[in-house]
Amino acid sequence: MTADAGHAQRLTELLRENAELLIDKWVGVVAAALRGRSARTELEADFREFYAALVPLVGHDGKNISGPEFTEIRSLLEEYSRSRVRAGFTPSETASSVFSLKEPVFELVENDASPEVFQQALAFSRLLDAFGLLTFESYSRAREDIIREQSEQLLELTTPVVKIWEGVLAVPLVGTLDSARTQVVMEKLLEMLVETGSEHAIIDITGVFAVDTQVAQHLLKTVVAARLMGAECIVSGIRPQIAQTIVALGIEFGDIVTKASLADALRHALRREGVEVVRREVV
Amino acid sequence: MERVPILKIGGVLLVSIQIDLQDQSVLALQEDLAEKISATGAHGVVIDISAVEIVDSFIGRMFATIASISRLFDADTVVVGMRPAVAITLVELGLTLGGVRTALNLERGMKILGELGRERRGAVTHFGEFPRDA
């Protein structure tokens, strides 16, 4: 790097001298590509920061951008990608924001007489490629973070434990059951049993479309754990297909009470609680 | 070594575990309890574990052992107040406590023992809960 430090300086000089022009062109290209979805002033502020961090890095060829001298530009680009994700831009739009600087730089180099500058511009282009890929990576990382957050929220949202009678809880399970979700249900249900002092819990799986051995195992464990705490679980709403799967897989429900519908399960629980439901003559 | 106190309420012995159980205290408890049941002729044992946060397989087996000991003296055992985390651990360990009865809290545990006692003794023993003490 020290060998061509002198030449690299030529490109740095060019970039410094023509900073305003380059930034203006860069912003112009990107703004046109985004078709007004991002404010020009905002882009300009962002790009000015990038540019300031970028110019001292001229001369690196972008093969390894994990060094300490790249910390600033990396954090800038990561922040930029994250905001792009939240604003709903595509990854290629985000990455091409970086690539778009090449065009004005090459135009500038074309007019320059010294032949070394072309080599330096190529190296600079490789550096930009590396940064473009970095935005791509940060973009997907940011998106994964969002997905993880959402699935956690979903986990919380979709597993309500409700009290439907004095001493009777109900857990209406909806959607696909996986081990993580059944685990959450299990813990929530057991905690609610203690909190409300309920001796009966109905696990209704009407909304569940598929059960595999692991999920069944988790359900059985929940029932056994509840039993250890002194409460009884009733499983209701098993779909015909699921019943077939359960039998085909050879899963034994043992002495666990299963009922066709939530209503049947509630009636059973009430009877066990000593509550009698009587139909009254309606006038 | 800390010892777990055993309290007598009517015909029931109450074992409330408020300490971190060591294997030694578990063994001592089993001995003490056997002596106490034999001395009082109690018809029921309630083990309150609402303060127990950590269990291992040894403690898990203790419940079954105590239940078997009590059974020899014709007394029923109810484990009450098990925390969710403890229940999950026991299930993961593959311990289901076999014939031990469980209840959500002490109140219900006492109720269960009352019902069991009535069933066992029939209508005759309404007077004198403790034949031996009387």
Side-chain angles (χ1 to χ4, degrees):
Chain A
M1 206 202 90
T2 38
D4 57 343
H7 306 303
Q9 268 171 12
R10 175 73 193 128
L11 183 60
T12 314
E13 257 170 44
L14 273 175
L15 288 177
R16 284 230 166 90
E17 278 162 18
N18 301 289
E20 286 307 314
L21 177 76
L22 282 172
I23 292 174
D24 191 55
K25 276 191 181 169
W26 188 14
V27 172
V29 173
V30 174
L34 296 180
R35 283 189 297 274
R37 276 187 294 150
S38 199
R40 209 189 145 91
T41 45
E42 231 174 86
L43 280 177
E44 203 173 319
D46 278 340
F47 287 2
R48 223 170 258 287
E49 268 186 286
F50 293 155
Y51 198 81
L54 200 58
V55 171
L57 298 173
V58 170
H60 293 274
D61 63 357
K63 271 186 189 129
N64 181 12
I65 54 163
S66 55
E69 63 270 38
F70 297 103
T71 314
E72 193 192 350
I73 186 96
R74 273 210 318 267
S75 65
L76 280 175
L77 287 172
E78 275 163 19
E79 188 47 49
Y80 179 73
S81 313
R82 254 199 297 279
S83 67
R84 297 282 105 167
V85 174
R86 307 240 173 228
F89 290 93
T90 66
S92 44
E93 277 166 346
T94 312
S96 58
S97 305
V98 176
F99 295 143
S100 302
L101 178 60
K102 283 186 193 179
E103 209 175 306
V105 169
F106 278 129
E107 272 172 28
L108 187 72
V109 170
E110 239 173 13
N111 303 329
D112 197 86
S114 63
E116 307 87 29
V117 173
F118 181 68
Q119 286 300 323
Q120 289 160 14
L122 269 186
F124 182 65
S125 149
R126 279 198 292 277
L127 186 66
L128 283 182
D129 286 345
F131 288 140
L133 289 177
L134 181 72
T135 61
F136 210 97
E137 259 172 48
S138 326
Y139 184 97
S140 55
R141 211 165 29 240
R143 182 160 268 192
E144 272 161 29
D145 284 345
I146 292 176
I147 292 172
R148 194 163 46 243
E149 272 168 35
Q150 284 175 343
S151 64
E152 268 166 24
Q153 286 169 357
L154 204 65
L155 208 62
E156 286 295 310
L157 279 177
T158 53
T159 49
V161 178
V162 287
K163 180 176 170 180
I164 53 172
W165 204 278
E166 202 61 54
V168 185
L169 295 181
V171 198
L173 294 178
V174 176
T176 321
L177 279 183
D178 54 23
S179 298
R181 247 189 93 194
T182 27
Q183 190 80 27
V184 172
V185 176
M186 178 171 173
E187 279 165 24
K188 222 165 159 186
L189 172 61
L190 298 182
E191 265 157 32
M192 278 289 278
L193 283 174
V194 178
E195 229 169 79
T196 60
S198 305
E199 278 189 339
H200 290 94
I202 302 169
I203 303 175
D204 184 72
I205 57 171
T206 313
V208 177
F209 292 92
V211 167
D212 61 11
T213 36
Q214 238 184 347
V215 170
Q217 207 62 41
H218 269 294
L219 276 180
L220 295 182
K221 274 184 187 170
T222 311
V223 176
V224 175
R227 210 171 261 181
L228 282 181
M229 291 170 51
E232 277 300 314
C233 284
I234 305 159
V235 179
S236 75
I238 301 176
R239 297 178 157 273
Q241 303 96 305
I242 291 184
Q244 294 208 6
T245 325
I246 288 174
V247 174
L249 289 173
I251 299 163
E252 270 297 331
F253 268 64
D255 53 350
I256 295 165
V257 181
T258 53
K259 294 280 175 189
S261 68
L262 182 63
D264 291 337
L266 179 59
R267 193 174 301 131
H268 176 84
L270 290 179
R271 198 162 46 231
R272 296 285 301 267
E273 285 276 315
V275 178
E276 204 174 331
V277 185
V278 188
R279 187 182 286 277
R280 184 170 50 84
E281 199 74 44
V282 185
V283 212
Chain B
M1 182 192 66
E2 287 181 277
R3 279 188 118 85
V4 180
I6 301 170
L7 312 169
K8 177 174 157 292
I9 308 172
V12 173
L13 294 180
L14 171 62
V15 182
S16 182
I17 299 172
Q18 307 280 346
I19 54 167
D20 278 337
L21 281 178
Q22 305 295 322
D23 290 2
Q24 278 302 317
S25 355
V26 170
L27 293 174
L29 172 61
Q30 288 172 2
E31 279 170 31
D32 292 353
L33 194 61
E35 266 170 39
K36 198 91 177 204
I37 302 173
S38 123
T40 60
H43 70 79
V45 176
V46 179
I47 307 173
D48 172 33
I49 55 165
S50 52
V52 175
E53 284 174 18
I54 300 164
V55 287
D56 55 17
S57 55
F58 190 79
I59 297 172
R61 272 199 302 278
M62 170 190 80
F63 303 127
T65 314
I66 288 181
S68 313
I69 294 172
S70 316
R71 181 123 304 281
L72 291 176
F73 294 104
D74 197 22
D76 295 298
T77 309
V78 182
V79 173
V80 303
M82 191 184 291
R83 288 174 178 235
V86 171
I88 292 172
T89 312
L90 287 180
V91 174
E92 295 293 342
L93 287 172
L95 294 168
T96 52
L97 304 194
V100 185
R101 280 172 173 271
T102 51
L104 282 175
N105 50 42
L106 183 59
E107 194 182 355
R108 292 184 199 224
M110 298 296 273
K111 211 171 124 201
I112 290 177
L113 280 182
E115 279 164 17
L116 284 175
R118 251 197 307 285
E119 260 173 44
R120 175 126 39 90
R121 284 164 292 144
V124 197
T125 42
H126 266 297
F127 31 89
E129 293 244 276
F130 285 99
R132 233 171 295 188
D133 282 359

